[in-house]
Amino acid sequence: MAALRGTRRTPVAAAVVAGIVALAVAACGESDNSGGSKSTTSAAPANTSTQAPAAAEAPAPQKAVAPRTGTGTPIKVGVLSDCQGAFGSFDNQDLAGVVSAMSQFAGAKPKNPNKPRDGWTGGAIGNHPLKLVGIGCSDDRADTAIRETRRLMEQLDADVMIGPLSGDESIAVANYAKQHPDKTFVDGSAGAQDTTLKVQAPNFFRFNGDGAQWNSGLGDIAYNKLGWRKAAVISDDYSFGWTSAAGFIADFCAAGGQVTKRVFPPLNTTDYSSYAQQLPADVDGTFVAVGGAGLIPFLKAYEQAKGPIDAKKFMGNLFWGTPGQFEQLGPRVAGAYIGSAGTAGDLATPAAQDYANNIIGKWFKKIPPGGAAAPQAPSTFTYGYYVNTWGLIKGLEAVKGDISGGQKKLQQAIGKVVLPAPYGEIKLDENRHAVFTNYDQQLYLKNNKLAVKTVAAIPNVDQTFGGTFSKSTPAPGRKFPGCEKRSLPWLGKAQAVKVDQ
C-alpha cells in the first residue's frame, strides 16, 4: 500500500460522529453471534474529552449522472496499478475504484462487471470523451512504475494519469510529474509521506492520506486503553512502511510511551523467522506494519518463534483490516486494534452504505480474486483510487474539460476540489494532499468469523501530524521519528461513531 508545519487546518466533516461519549469499548475478543445487523454507537476507546472538534453533518449519498458520450477532443487517461509484486492481488480493487468513479460521476460504464481491469466505455466531461489509453502494470518497485508511467504518458500520450498504488512508486511518479508540468497526476492509494510533503510537485494531487495519518489515534489507544508503556515496531523496510510506523510511533510517544525496538524486514521477504526473533519479550505490545503478501507469513513466523499471539499485545496497520486480507488472520487476533485508511465499511450512515451497495456494488458484481464487490468497497485500494478519480473528474468539470494551456487551469481547479466523500469530507492542503477524518478499528468475532468494527473517529488529520512532520524534518525512516512526548490535537479527543453490527 502515501503540508508543512502551520498548514491551514480546514475543518473536515466527521462523517459519522455520534457525539462525544465516555463509554468503554467492548472487551477484546468480544463475540457477536446474533447474525443480525443492528446500528450501535461505538465508543471512543481512550481518554475521551468534550474538547474534541465539533462534528459536521455526514455527506449525503451521491447520485449517478446519466450516461455520457462526447464527440469533441478526447481527454486521454492512463491508470497505473500493481498487477504483480507484494500488492498484485489488489489490482482489480484499484480498477474497481477508478471505473466506479468514472461510471458514477462521468457517465461511463464498466466493460465487464466481473473484471474491473477491463476498464470502461463511454464517459465524458462536456463534449470531451474520457478515453482510457492504457493500464500500467507495476510491481511495487519505483523503476517499474516509472517505466510504465513513461509508456502511458509518452508512448500512449495520456493527458492525465491515476495512480500508483504503492509508496516508493508514488515518490518516483511525483518526481516524474515535476519534470512534466503539462501533464496532471492524481494518486491511486500510495501512502508514502515524501510523495507530497517533500516532493511537492504542483501537478500531483492526493485525495487519500498517508500511512502516518492512517494510524492517528492508535498510540493513544495503546497507552491509555491497553496500558502499554513500552512497545516494539516491525515494519516493511521502504517508504510506506516507514511512514506507517511513523504514525504509530509519533502517536504512542506523544501519549507518553516508549518505543524500545524497531525491526525492518525488506519488502517481499518470504522468511520472517530471523525478524520475529529480534522482537523483544520485555515490551507491552508490538505494532505491525508488515503488509501485502508478507503479513500472514510474518505472523506465522512470530508464533513459531515466540508462541501464540495475544491480541491485546498486538496492533496492526490498514492491512489488518483490508478486505481480502484480514480474513486470513484467523480468530487468534480477535480483539486487536488496527488503523485504517480513512475508511470504515460498517458506518451507519446513508453515504457509507450507499457507496458500498449502490456505487461499488452497483457497477460490479465481483472484484477478483476477492469475490463479491460490495464488501471490498472500504479497501484502501478501492477507496483510494475511487476518491482520486473523483477528484480528477471534479477538476475536469470545473474547467469544462478544457486542458489547454499546459493544463494549468485544470491543476488550479483540482487543488480547490472538496469531496463529500462516503466516509467524510476530503479537502486538500497547500501541498495538494488530503485532510480528512481517520478511523480506528478493532478486529472481533462475528458469527465465529473475524470481522472489523470501527471504534473511533479522529477528525481533521493533516499530513503534518499536528506539527510533527514538515518539509524540513527528516523523512520517516528507520530512526525517524524519534520518541517524543508532545501535544497532538486529537490526543484524548477521539469521537464516537455509529456503526452497523
Side-chain angles (χ1 to χ4, degrees), residues 171-182:
I171 296 171
V173 169
N175 278 299
Y176 177 93
K178 266 190 170 180
Q179 299 166 8
H180 298 81
D182 58 344

Side-chain angles (χ1 to χ4, degrees), residues 115-317:
K115 188 180 178 184
R117 188 165 242 277
D118 284 352
W120 70 85
T121 61
I125 302 295
N127 196 36
H128 299 279
L130 290 164
K131 179 182 179 182
L132 177 63
V133 297
I135 300 174
C137 175
S138 192
D139 58 1
D140 66 61
R141 294 168 54 93
D143 56 350
T144 307
I146 290 302
R147 184 174 65 246
E148 286 294 273
T149 298
R150 286 175 174 152
R151 181 177 68 86
L152 293 169
M153 308 307 290
E154 298 173 25
Q155 296 178 26
L156 300 179
D157 197 29
D159 299 307
V160 298
M161 190 180 87
I162 303 161
L165 176 148
S166 188
D168 286 358
E169 297 174 321
S170 65
I171 296 171
V173 169
N175 278 299
Y176 177 93
K178 266 190 170 180
Q179 299 166 8
H180 298 81
D182 58 344
K183 305 279 189 176
T184 298
F185 302 78
V186 295
D187 195 39
S189 60
Q193 187 185 90
D194 282 13
T195 308
T196 46
L197 190 60
K198 303 293 189 185
V199 180
Q200 298 186 0
N203 53 333
F204 186 99
F205 303 84
R206 182 155 61 177
F207 287 88
N208 58 280
D210 70 21
Q213 291 173 283
W214 291 337
N215 291 324
S216 55
L218 277 189
D220 193 6
I221 293 174
Y223 190 87
N224 290 304
K225 168 69 179 175
L226 300 178
W228 294 11
R229 294 299 178 262
K230 294 182 179 180
V233 170
I234 182 167
S235 162
D236 290 320
D237 197 16
Y238 80 117
S239 58
F240 173 74
W242 300 330
T243 304
S244 183
F248 172 79
I249 292 168
D251 208 85
F252 181 61
C253 295
Q258 294 181 321
V259 175
T260 60
K261 184 69 173 180
R262 308 182 189 198
V263 178
F264 296 97
L267 186 64
N268 291 310
T269 292
T270 56
D271 182 359
Y272 287 89
S273 56
S274 64
Y275 301 101
Q277 290 283 2
Q278 295 177 44
L279 292 170
D282 62 342
V283 293
D284 301 306
T286 300
F287 175 75
V288 180
V290 175
L295 177 55
I296 303 304
F298 162 71
L299 292 177
K300 290 180 178 178
Y302 181 91
E303 290 176 313
Q304 292 172 357
K306 304 289 186 178
I309 287 173
D310 181 349
K312 295 179 182 179
K313 296 183 177 181
F314 273 84
M315 284 185 163
N317 67 358

Side-chain angles (χ1 to χ4, degrees), residues 62-76:
Q62 300 296 305
K63 295 181 179 179
V65 303
R68 295 176 182 171
T69 58
T71 59
T73 305
I75 299 167
K76 293 172 286 186

Side-chain angles (χ1 to χ4, degrees), residues 27-30 226 311-312 314 331-337 442-445 450:
C28 290
E30 172 193 2
L226 300 178
K312 295 179 182 179
F314 273 84
R332 65 194 187 280
V333 296
Y337 288 96
Q442 187 180 29
L443 300 174
Y444 76 113
L445 291 178
L450 199 65

